PDB file of all heavy atoms in Angstrom:
ATOM      1  N   VAL A  16     -14.237  17.593  11.530  1.00 69.00           N
ATOM      2  CA  VAL A  16     -13.878  17.466  12.938  1.00 69.00           C
ATOM      3  C   VAL A  16     -15.108  17.131  13.772  1.00 69.00           C
ATOM      4  O   VAL A  16     -15.068  16.284  14.674  1.00 69.00           O
ATOM      5  CB  VAL A  16     -13.213  18.763  13.442  1.00 69.00           C
ATOM      6  CG1 VAL A  16     -13.046  18.735  14.952  1.00 69.00           C
ATOM      7  CG2 VAL A  16     -11.852  18.946  12.777  1.00 69.00           C
ATOM      8  N   SER A  17     -16.241  17.767  13.458  1.00 69.00           N
ATOM      9  CA  SER A  17     -17.481  17.511  14.192  1.00 69.00           C
ATOM     10  C   SER A  17     -17.916  16.054  14.044  1.00 69.00           C
ATOM     11  O   SER A  17     -18.320  15.406  15.018  1.00 69.00           O
ATOM     12  CB  SER A  17     -18.578  18.446  13.686  1.00 69.00           C
ATOM     13  OG  SER A  17     -19.815  18.163  14.306  1.00 69.00           O
ATOM     14  N   LEU A  19     -15.924  13.504  13.292  1.00 71.00           N
ATOM     15  CA  LEU A  19     -14.948  12.670  14.001  1.00 71.00           C
ATOM     16  C   LEU A  19     -15.347  12.508  15.469  1.00 71.00           C
ATOM     17  O   LEU A  19     -15.327  11.411  16.023  1.00 71.00           O
ATOM     18  CB  LEU A  19     -13.548  13.292  13.916  1.00 71.00           C
ATOM     19  CG  LEU A  19     -12.783  13.073  12.605  1.00 71.00           C
ATOM     20  CD1 LEU A  19     -11.546  13.962  12.556  1.00 71.00           C
ATOM     21  CD2 LEU A  19     -12.353  11.621  12.458  1.00 71.00           C
ATOM     22  N   VAL A  20     -15.725  13.608  16.083  1.00 63.00           N
ATOM     23  CA  VAL A  20     -16.144  13.579  17.488  1.00 63.00           C
ATOM     24  C   VAL A  20     -17.445  12.797  17.648  1.00 63.00           C
ATOM     25  O   VAL A  20     -17.592  11.967  18.545  1.00 63.00           O
ATOM     26  CB  VAL A  20     -16.314  15.020  18.024  1.00 63.00           C
ATOM     27  CG1 VAL A  20     -16.973  15.014  19.400  1.00 63.00           C
ATOM     28  CG2 VAL A  20     -14.961  15.711  18.088  1.00 63.00           C
ATOM     29  N   GLY A  23     -16.997   9.098  17.818  1.00 64.00           N
ATOM     30  CA  GLY A  23     -16.124   8.538  18.843  1.00 64.00           C
ATOM     31  C   GLY A  23     -14.642   8.644  18.582  1.00 64.00           C
ATOM     32  O   GLY A  23     -13.847   7.972  19.235  1.00 64.00           O
ATOM     33  N   PHE A  24     -14.229   9.495  17.631  1.00 66.00           N
ATOM     34  CA  PHE A  24     -12.801   9.655  17.348  1.00 66.00           C
ATOM     35  C   PHE A  24     -12.300  11.011  17.841  1.00 66.00           C
ATOM     36  O   PHE A  24     -11.369  11.590  17.291  1.00 66.00           O
ATOM     37  CB  PHE A  24     -12.533   9.506  15.846  1.00 66.00           C
ATOM     38  CG  PHE A  24     -12.804   8.126  15.326  1.00 66.00           C
ATOM     39  CD1 PHE A  24     -14.040   7.789  14.792  1.00 66.00           C
ATOM     40  CD2 PHE A  24     -11.826   7.143  15.387  1.00 66.00           C
ATOM     41  CE1 PHE A  24     -14.288   6.515  14.320  1.00 66.00           C
ATOM     42  CE2 PHE A  24     -12.075   5.858  14.915  1.00 66.00           C
ATOM     43  CZ  PHE A  24     -13.311   5.536  14.390  1.00 66.00           C
ATOM     44  N   GLY A  25     -12.903  11.504  18.918  1.00 60.00           N
ATOM     45  CA  GLY A  25     -12.529  12.808  19.451  1.00 60.00           C
ATOM     46  C   GLY A  25     -11.105  12.879  19.948  1.00 60.00           C
ATOM     47  O   GLY A  25     -10.483  13.945  19.943  1.00 60.00           O
ATOM     48  N   TYR A  26     -10.559  11.752  20.404  1.00 57.00           N
ATOM     49  CA  TYR A  26      -9.185  11.760  20.927  1.00 57.00           C
ATOM     50  C   TYR A  26      -8.180  12.151  19.848  1.00 57.00           C
ATOM     51  O   TYR A  26      -7.153  12.767  20.128  1.00 57.00           O
ATOM     52  CB  TYR A  26      -8.827  10.390  21.509  1.00 57.00           C
ATOM     53  CG  TYR A  26      -8.950   9.238  20.556  1.00 57.00           C
ATOM     54  CD1 TYR A  26      -7.874   8.824  19.788  1.00 57.00           C
ATOM     55  CD2 TYR A  26     -10.154   8.565  20.411  1.00 57.00           C
ATOM     56  CE1 TYR A  26      -7.985   7.769  18.900  1.00 57.00           C
ATOM     57  CE2 TYR A  26     -10.284   7.511  19.531  1.00 57.00           C
ATOM     58  CZ  TYR A  26      -9.197   7.110  18.775  1.00 57.00           C
ATOM     59  OH  TYR A  26      -9.319   6.075  17.895  1.00 57.00           O
ATOM     60  N   ILE A  27      -8.476  11.814  18.602  1.00 62.00           N
ATOM     61  CA  ILE A  27      -7.592  12.228  17.500  1.00 62.00           C
ATOM     62  C   ILE A  27      -7.653  13.744  17.348  1.00 62.00           C
ATOM     63  O   ILE A  27      -6.625  14.413  17.195  1.00 62.00           O
ATOM     64  CB  ILE A  27      -7.997  11.537  16.186  1.00 62.00           C
ATOM     65  CG1 ILE A  27      -7.810  10.014  16.299  1.00 62.00           C
ATOM     66  CG2 ILE A  27      -7.186  12.073  15.013  1.00 62.00           C
ATOM     67  CD1 ILE A  27      -8.241   9.261  15.053  1.00 62.00           C
ATOM     68  N   VAL A  28      -8.862  14.292  17.408  1.00 60.00           N
ATOM     69  CA  VAL A  28      -9.040  15.735  17.284  1.00 60.00           C
ATOM     70  C   VAL A  28      -8.245  16.462  18.362  1.00 60.00           C
ATOM     71  O   VAL A  28      -7.571  17.461  18.110  1.00 60.00           O
ATOM     72  CB  VAL A  28     -10.543  16.092  17.387  1.00 60.00           C
ATOM     73  CG1 VAL A  28     -10.743  17.599  17.408  1.00 60.00           C
ATOM     74  CG2 VAL A  28     -11.311  15.472  16.237  1.00 60.00           C
ATOM     75  N   GLN A  29      -8.290  15.938  19.581  1.00 59.00           N
ATOM     76  CA  GLN A  29      -7.600  16.581  20.694  1.00 59.00           C
ATOM     77  C   GLN A  29      -6.082  16.513  20.528  1.00 59.00           C
ATOM     78  O   GLN A  29      -5.385  17.513  20.690  1.00 59.00           O
ATOM     79  CB  GLN A  29      -8.002  15.893  22.009  1.00 59.00           C
ATOM     80  CG  GLN A  29      -7.430  16.585  23.244  1.00 59.00           C
ATOM     81  CD  GLN A  29      -7.808  15.853  24.505  1.00 59.00           C
ATOM     82  OE1 GLN A  29      -7.621  14.644  24.604  1.00 59.00           O
ATOM     83  NE2 GLN A  29      -8.338  16.571  25.476  1.00 59.00           N
ATOM     84  N   GLU A  30      -5.577  15.347  20.127  1.00 58.00           N
ATOM     85  CA  GLU A  30      -4.125  15.171  20.085  1.00 58.00           C
ATOM     86  C   GLU A  30      -3.465  15.907  18.926  1.00 58.00           C
ATOM     87  O   GLU A  30      -2.325  16.325  19.023  1.00 58.00           O
ATOM     88  CB  GLU A  30      -3.779  13.681  20.039  1.00 58.00           C
ATOM     89  CG  GLU A  30      -4.088  12.968  21.343  1.00 58.00           C
ATOM     90  CD  GLU A  30      -3.400  11.610  21.408  1.00 58.00           C
ATOM     91  OE1 GLU A  30      -2.336  11.456  20.782  1.00 58.00           O
ATOM     92  OE2 GLU A  30      -3.937  10.718  22.065  1.00 58.00           O
ATOM     93  N   VAL A  31      -4.159  16.054  17.789  1.00 61.00           N
ATOM     94  CA  VAL A  31      -3.530  16.752  16.662  1.00 61.00           C
ATOM     95  C   VAL A  31      -3.767  18.252  16.716  1.00 61.00           C
ATOM     96  O   VAL A  31      -3.305  18.982  15.846  1.00 61.00           O
ATOM     97  CB  VAL A  31      -4.016  16.200  15.301  1.00 61.00           C
ATOM     98  CG1 VAL A  31      -3.719  14.738  15.172  1.00 61.00           C
ATOM     99  CG2 VAL A  31      -5.502  16.458  15.093  1.00 61.00           C
ATOM    100  N   GLY A  32      -4.488  18.722  17.750  1.00 59.00           N
ATOM    101  CA  GLY A  32      -4.622  20.159  17.950  1.00 59.00           C
ATOM    102  C   GLY A  32      -5.727  20.818  17.152  1.00 59.00           C
ATOM    103  O   GLY A  32      -5.611  21.994  16.791  1.00 59.00           O
ATOM    104  N   LEU A  33      -6.820  20.093  16.878  1.00 58.00           N
ATOM    105  CA  LEU A  33      -7.935  20.671  16.126  1.00 58.00           C
ATOM    106  C   LEU A  33      -9.154  20.950  17.011  1.00 58.00           C
ATOM    107  O   LEU A  33     -10.219  21.257  16.511  1.00 58.00           O
ATOM    108  CB  LEU A  33      -8.350  19.728  14.986  1.00 58.00           C
ATOM    109  CG  LEU A  33      -7.379  19.641  13.805  1.00 58.00           C
ATOM    110  CD1 LEU A  33      -7.852  18.578  12.823  1.00 58.00           C
ATOM    111  CD2 LEU A  33      -7.268  20.977  13.098  1.00 58.00           C
ATOM    112  N   THR A  34      -8.966  20.872  18.332  1.00 53.00           N
ATOM    113  CA  THR A  34     -10.096  21.057  19.250  1.00 53.00           C
ATOM    114  C   THR A  34     -10.720  22.438  19.092  1.00 53.00           C
ATOM    115  O   THR A  34     -11.936  22.618  19.252  1.00 53.00           O
ATOM    116  CB  THR A  34      -9.632  20.855  20.701  1.00 53.00           C
ATOM    117  OG1 THR A  34      -8.901  19.631  20.782  1.00 53.00           O
ATOM    118  CG2 THR A  34     -10.818  20.791  21.653  1.00 53.00           C
ATOM    119  N   ASP A  35      -9.896  23.441  18.775  1.00 54.00           N
ATOM    120  CA  ASP A  35     -10.401  24.814  18.671  1.00 54.00           C
ATOM    121  C   ASP A  35     -11.416  24.985  17.547  1.00 54.00           C
ATOM    122  O   ASP A  35     -12.171  25.951  17.533  1.00 54.00           O
ATOM    123  CB  ASP A  35      -9.239  25.796  18.446  1.00 54.00           C
ATOM    124  CG  ASP A  35      -8.348  25.909  19.681  1.00 54.00           C
ATOM    125  OD1 ASP A  35      -8.829  25.553  20.778  1.00 54.00           O
ATOM    126  OD2 ASP A  35      -7.192  26.358  19.546  1.00 54.00           O
ATOM    127  N   THR A  36     -11.427  24.067  16.595  1.00 53.00           N
ATOM    128  CA  THR A  36     -12.390  24.184  15.495  1.00 53.00           C
ATOM    129  C   THR A  36     -13.773  23.670  15.891  1.00 53.00           C
ATOM    130  O   THR A  36     -14.725  23.826  15.140  1.00 53.00           O
ATOM    131  CB  THR A  36     -11.901  23.409  14.262  1.00 53.00           C
ATOM    132  OG1 THR A  36     -11.808  22.022  14.599  1.00 53.00           O
ATOM    133  CG2 THR A  36     -10.533  23.905  13.803  1.00 53.00           C
ATOM    134  N   LEU A  37     -13.887  23.038  17.067  1.00 48.00           N
ATOM    135  CA  LEU A  37     -15.168  22.492  17.521  1.00 48.00           C
ATOM    136  C   LEU A  37     -16.048  23.571  18.122  1.00 48.00           C
ATOM    137  O   LEU A  37     -15.570  24.521  18.749  1.00 48.00           O
ATOM    138  CB  LEU A  37     -14.941  21.402  18.572  1.00 48.00           C
ATOM    139  CG  LEU A  37     -14.290  20.093  18.116  1.00 48.00           C
ATOM    140  CD1 LEU A  37     -13.986  19.234  19.325  1.00 48.00           C
ATOM    141  CD2 LEU A  37     -15.190  19.350  17.150  1.00 48.00           C
ATOM    142  N   ASP A  41     -20.109  20.485  20.403  1.00 46.00           N
ATOM    143  CA  ASP A  41     -19.270  19.354  20.009  1.00 46.00           C
ATOM    144  C   ASP A  41     -18.282  18.990  21.103  1.00 46.00           C
ATOM    145  O   ASP A  41     -17.990  17.815  21.337  1.00 46.00           O
ATOM    146  CB  ASP A  41     -18.517  19.672  18.717  1.00 46.00           C
ATOM    147  CG  ASP A  41     -19.449  19.719  17.517  1.00 46.00           C
ATOM    148  OD1 ASP A  41     -20.450  18.984  17.539  1.00 46.00           O
ATOM    149  OD2 ASP A  41     -19.178  20.482  16.578  1.00 46.00           O
ATOM    150  N   ARG A  42     -17.758  20.028  21.796  1.00 46.00           N
ATOM    151  CA  ARG A  42     -16.783  19.757  22.858  1.00 46.00           C
ATOM    152  C   ARG A  42     -17.442  19.044  24.036  1.00 46.00           C
ATOM    153  O   ARG A  42     -16.848  18.167  24.664  1.00 46.00           O
ATOM    154  CB  ARG A  42     -16.148  21.067  23.342  1.00 46.00           C
ATOM    155  CG  ARG A  42     -15.299  21.753  22.287  1.00 46.00           C
ATOM    156  CD  ARG A  42     -14.592  22.954  22.864  1.00 46.00           C
ATOM    157  NE  ARG A  42     -14.082  23.806  21.794  1.00 46.00           N
ATOM    158  CZ  ARG A  42     -13.324  24.859  21.997  1.00 46.00           C
ATOM    159  NH1 ARG A  42     -12.985  25.208  23.219  1.00 46.00           N
ATOM    160  NH2 ARG A  42     -12.907  25.590  20.987  1.00 46.00           N
ATOM    161  N   SER A  45     -18.014  15.395  23.127  1.00 46.00           N
ATOM    162  CA  SER A  45     -16.852  14.631  22.635  1.00 46.00           C
ATOM    163  C   SER A  45     -16.542  13.469  23.565  1.00 46.00           C
ATOM    164  O   SER A  45     -16.624  13.581  24.778  1.00 46.00           O
ATOM    165  CB  SER A  45     -15.629  15.547  22.494  1.00 46.00           C
ATOM    166  OG  SER A  45     -15.158  15.929  23.767  1.00 46.00           O
ATOM    167  N   ASP A  46     -16.196  12.377  22.931  1.00 39.00           N
ATOM    168  CA  ASP A  46     -15.897  11.150  23.668  1.00 39.00           C
ATOM    169  C   ASP A  46     -14.517  10.681  23.243  1.00 39.00           C
ATOM    170  O   ASP A  46     -14.293  10.342  22.090  1.00 39.00           O
ATOM    171  CB  ASP A  46     -16.947  10.087  23.329  1.00 39.00           C
ATOM    172  CG  ASP A  46     -16.637   8.734  23.963  1.00 39.00           C
ATOM    173  OD1 ASP A  46     -15.769   8.685  24.855  1.00 39.00           O
ATOM    174  OD2 ASP A  46     -17.275   7.746  23.559  1.00 39.00           O
ATOM    175  N   PHE A  47     -13.564  10.636  24.188  1.00 34.00           N
ATOM    176  CA  PHE A  47     -12.191  10.284  23.863  1.00 34.00           C
ATOM    177  C   PHE A  47     -11.889   8.818  24.191  1.00 34.00           C
ATOM    178  O   PHE A  47     -10.756   8.422  24.389  1.00 34.00           O
ATOM    179  CB  PHE A  47     -11.223  11.187  24.625  1.00 34.00           C
ATOM    180  CG  PHE A  47     -11.392  12.632  24.304  1.00 34.00           C
ATOM    181  CD1 PHE A  47     -11.889  13.512  25.249  1.00 34.00           C
ATOM    182  CD2 PHE A  47     -11.081  13.108  23.046  1.00 34.00           C
ATOM    183  CE1 PHE A  47     -12.061  14.845  24.944  1.00 34.00           C
ATOM    184  CE2 PHE A  47     -11.250  14.443  22.743  1.00 34.00           C
ATOM    185  CZ  PHE A  47     -11.742  15.322  23.688  1.00 34.00           C
ATOM    186  N   LYS A  48     -12.932   8.026  24.242  1.00 39.00           N
ATOM    187  CA  LYS A  48     -12.724   6.624  24.617  1.00 39.00           C
ATOM    188  C   LYS A  48     -12.602   5.740  23.384  1.00 39.00           C
ATOM    189  O   LYS A  48     -13.409   5.808  22.484  1.00 39.00           O
ATOM    190  CB  LYS A  48     -13.911   6.146  25.464  1.00 39.00           C
ATOM    191  CG  LYS A  48     -13.791   4.689  25.909  1.00 39.00           C
ATOM    192  CD  LYS A  48     -15.013   4.286  26.718  1.00 39.00           C
ATOM    193  CE  LYS A  48     -14.930   2.842  27.146  1.00 39.00           C
ATOM    194  NZ  LYS A  48     -16.124   2.420  27.905  1.00 39.00           N
ATOM    195  N   LEU A 173      -4.339  16.419   7.139  1.00 88.00           N
ATOM    196  CA  LEU A 173      -4.576  15.570   8.308  1.00 88.00           C
ATOM    197  C   LEU A 173      -3.500  14.485   8.434  1.00 88.00           C
ATOM    198  O   LEU A 173      -3.066  14.163   9.549  1.00 88.00           O
ATOM    199  CB  LEU A 173      -5.957  14.921   8.219  1.00 88.00           C
ATOM    200  CG  LEU A 173      -7.160  15.860   8.369  1.00 88.00           C
ATOM    201  CD1 LEU A 173      -8.469  15.110   8.124  1.00 88.00           C
ATOM    202  CD2 LEU A 173      -7.183  16.518   9.748  1.00 88.00           C
ATOM    203  N   MET A 176      -0.484  15.995   9.975  1.00 88.00           N
ATOM    204  CA  MET A 176      -0.692  16.192  11.412  1.00 88.00           C
ATOM    205  C   MET A 176      -0.516  14.883  12.168  1.00 88.00           C
ATOM    206  O   MET A 176       0.085  14.844  13.249  1.00 88.00           O
ATOM    207  CB  MET A 176      -2.094  16.750  11.669  1.00 88.00           C
ATOM    208  CG  MET A 176      -2.311  18.168  11.211  1.00 88.00           C
ATOM    209  SD  MET A 176      -3.994  18.705  11.571  1.00 88.00           S
ATOM    210  CE  MET A 176      -4.052  20.262  10.675  1.00 88.00           C
ATOM    211  N   MET A 177      -1.035  13.804  11.615  1.00 84.00           N
ATOM    212  CA  MET A 177      -0.920  12.503  12.264  1.00 84.00           C
ATOM    213  C   MET A 177       0.542  12.069  12.354  1.00 84.00           C
ATOM    214  O   MET A 177       0.978  11.530  13.376  1.00 84.00           O
ATOM    215  CB  MET A 177      -1.738  11.458  11.510  1.00 84.00           C
ATOM    216  CG  MET A 177      -3.230  11.687  11.594  1.00 84.00           C
ATOM    217  SD  MET A 177      -4.191  10.440  10.727  1.00 84.00           S
ATOM    218  CE  MET A 177      -4.008   9.045  11.822  1.00 84.00           C
ATOM    219  N   HIS A 180       2.215  13.714  15.212  1.00 81.00           N
ATOM    220  CA  HIS A 180       1.748  13.378  16.560  1.00 81.00           C
ATOM    221  C   HIS A 180       1.836  11.895  16.897  1.00 81.00           C
ATOM    222  O   HIS A 180       1.798  11.536  18.066  1.00 81.00           O
ATOM    223  CB  HIS A 180       0.299  13.852  16.740  1.00 81.00           C
ATOM    224  CG  HIS A 180       0.167  15.336  16.881  1.00 81.00           C
ATOM    225  ND1 HIS A 180       0.176  16.191  15.797  1.00 81.00           N
ATOM    226  CD2 HIS A 180       0.054  16.128  17.979  1.00 81.00           C
ATOM    227  CE1 HIS A 180       0.041  17.436  16.226  1.00 81.00           C
ATOM    228  NE2 HIS A 180      -0.034  17.426  17.530  1.00 81.00           N
ATOM    229  N   TYR A 181       1.921  11.044  15.888  1.00 73.00           N
ATOM    230  CA  TYR A 181       1.946   9.604  16.146  1.00 73.00           C
ATOM    231  C   TYR A 181       3.182   8.981  15.508  1.00 73.00           C
ATOM    232  O   TYR A 181       3.411   9.131  14.303  1.00 73.00           O
ATOM    233  CB  TYR A 181       0.690   8.919  15.582  1.00 73.00           C
ATOM    234  CG  TYR A 181      -0.607   9.366  16.217  1.00 73.00           C
ATOM    235  CD1 TYR A 181      -1.515  10.138  15.498  1.00 73.00           C
ATOM    236  CD2 TYR A 181      -0.929   9.012  17.526  1.00 73.00           C
ATOM    237  CE1 TYR A 181      -2.716  10.551  16.072  1.00 73.00           C
ATOM    238  CE2 TYR A 181      -2.123   9.409  18.097  1.00 73.00           C
ATOM    239  CZ  TYR A 181      -3.011  10.180  17.367  1.00 73.00           C
ATOM    240  OH  TYR A 181      -4.186  10.581  17.940  1.00 73.00           O
TER     241      TYR A 181
END
Side-chain angles (χ1 to χ4, degrees):
V16 171
S17 176
L19 281 169
V20 170
F24 294 93
Y26 58 91
I27 296 178
V28 174
Q29 185 182 51
E30 290 195 28
V31 301
L33 288 175
T34 310
D35 291 340
T36 62
L37 292 172
D41 290 329
R42 294 186 195 186
S45 70
D46 175 13
F47 300 111
K48 180 181 179 181
L173 291 174
M176 290 180 190
M177 292 181 73
H180 287 81
Y181 297 110

